[in-house]
Amino acid sequence: MQVYVYRNEEQVAKAASMIFASVISEKPDAVLGLATGSTPIPTYKRLISLNKDGYIDFSRIRTYNLDEYVGLSPEHPASYRYFMNEQLFDHINIDKNNTHVPSGLGDVEKNAEDYDAAIERAGGIDLQLLGIGHNGHIGFNEPNPRAFIYKTNIITLTQSTIDANSRMFSCSDEVPRQAISLGIGGIMSSKRIILLATGRGKSSAVRDAVKGDITPLLPASILKAHNNVQFLLDEDAACLL
Ligand code: PGA
């Protein structure tokens, strides 16, 4: 695991967008694993600018998002499909048919199986972007003794995640209690992983992921077992290292 510390979240976004640019220039039909949440927004803004200025071409890029709430339709403003359209896909020259977000509607167990099969058919993820939860989750893989599940699966959200994500809903009762998430195995199968963390609120999860033992009680700690992972942190997120 390599750890890079930048002055602020803008510098983190700049570094992350440069990594995207280099992966895409080497492989114009790369498969990108994408994330939602507040942390990647500045990176997505930079990717939009790089696309508008002609430095990145998304026309052949394929994307697979990490997760989605169970029960939210793509049109729901708090759904992750909606987020991705708003924050990135609507502003770049990507073919929307090549963008994938797990579906939290209908037979979600079947959706989960189909999602893993689709990623495999696409040749696997070349670059996976991750955030980290305050509790150390990656994707929606929440801390619990059975967190190291290989496949895409249905997760029951912890209270800390419901509280953290309630800002996207009118009240915390509206936050779905379950989500469909790429499993730890799916994340670890990616050829390269970058994890972004900004702000003091992430500092203890970052410290435990970087310095602690590998444990399903801190799912991000598994990343130490991957041979091509970079943590891009701002000074606040790195303050306990
Ligand atoms: P955030 O979420 O970027 O909104 O803090 C990250 C995560 O929960 O993985």
Side-chain angles (χ1 to χ4, degrees), residues 36-40 131-134 137 139 167 202:
T36 51
S38 308
T39 311
I132 182 170
H134 294 92
H137 73 200
R167 66 189 195 279
K202 299 294 172 65

Side-chain angles (χ1 to χ4, degrees), residues 4-15 46 197-200 232-239:
Y4 298 93
V5 181
Y6 301 92
R7 211 169 56 246
N8 53 38
E9 69 168 4
E10 271 314 308
Q11 299 303 313
V12 170
K14 191 171 173 186
R46 282 186 177 265
T198 54
R200 224 155 251 258
L232 311 184
L233 312 173
D234 71 357
E235 286 176 357
D236 283 339
C239 69

Side-chain angles (χ1 to χ4, degrees), residues 31-238:
V31 177
L32 305 177
L34 298 179
T36 51
S38 308
T39 311
I41 291 175
T43 299
Y44 292 155
K45 285 200 164 70
R46 282 186 177 265
L47 293 180
I48 292 166
S49 301
L50 288 167
N51 181 238
K52 289 212 181 336
D53 295 343
Y55 294 112
I56 299 186
D57 175 14
F58 286 95
S59 60
R60 294 172 58 207
I61 289 296
R62 295 155 297 155
T63 70
Y64 288 86
N65 261 77
L66 282 168
D67 44 21
E68 180 60 282
Y69 291 109
V70 167
L72 289 198
S73 75
E75 292 77 33
H76 191 292
S79 77
Y80 287 166
R81 162 54 78 180
Y82 191 94
F83 174 101
M84 288 309 300
N85 288 346
E86 284 245 300
Q87 299 295 336
L88 185 64
F89 299 147
D90 284 346
H91 312 288
I92 58 177
N93 72 328
I94 199 159
D95 178 350
K96 283 258 185 80
N97 294 320
N98 289 337
T99 69
H100 307 87
V101 178
S103 169
L105 298 178
D107 183 346
V108 284
E109 302 288 348
K110 167 98 174 38
N111 298 348
E113 258 175 53
D114 292 349
Y115 203 64
D116 287 331
I119 292 174
E120 208 173 308
R121 274 197 309 277
I125 292 170
D126 293 298
L127 176 64
Q128 175 67 58
L129 175 67
L130 295 178
I132 182 170
H134 294 92
N135 61 7
H137 73 200
I138 46 177
F140 264 133
N141 295 285
E142 299 280 42
N144 73 62
R146 296 184 53 252
F148 288 163
I149 288 177
Y150 192 85
K151 295 178 169 184
T152 294
N153 61 109
I154 310 306
I155 311 266
T156 299
L157 303 185
T158 60
Q159 194 57 46
S160 111
T161 298
I162 292 167
D163 293 344
N165 291 8
S166 61
R167 66 189 195 279
M168 318 292 184
F169 295 83
S170 48
C171 66
S172 77
D173 286 352
E174 274 191 17
V175 182
R177 270 27 189 183
Q178 289 191 311
I180 177 169
S181 176
L182 198 65
I184 292 291
I187 292 171
M188 291 294 281
S189 304
S190 309
K191 289 160 201 139
R192 179 177 182 179
I193 298 172
I194 55 174
L195 180 145
L196 314 186
T198 54
R200 224 155 251 258
K202 299 294 172 65
S203 57
S204 54
V206 165
R207 176 199 57 206
D208 294 347
V210 173
K211 293 192 157 169
D213 294 335
I214 295 180
T215 165
L217 301 181
L218 201 293
S221 63
I222 192 74
L223 298 171
K224 280 207 279 278
H226 193 282
N227 65 7
N228 191 0
V229 52
Q230 290 88 43
F231 275 35
L232 311 184
L233 312 173
D234 71 357
E235 286 176 357
D236 283 339

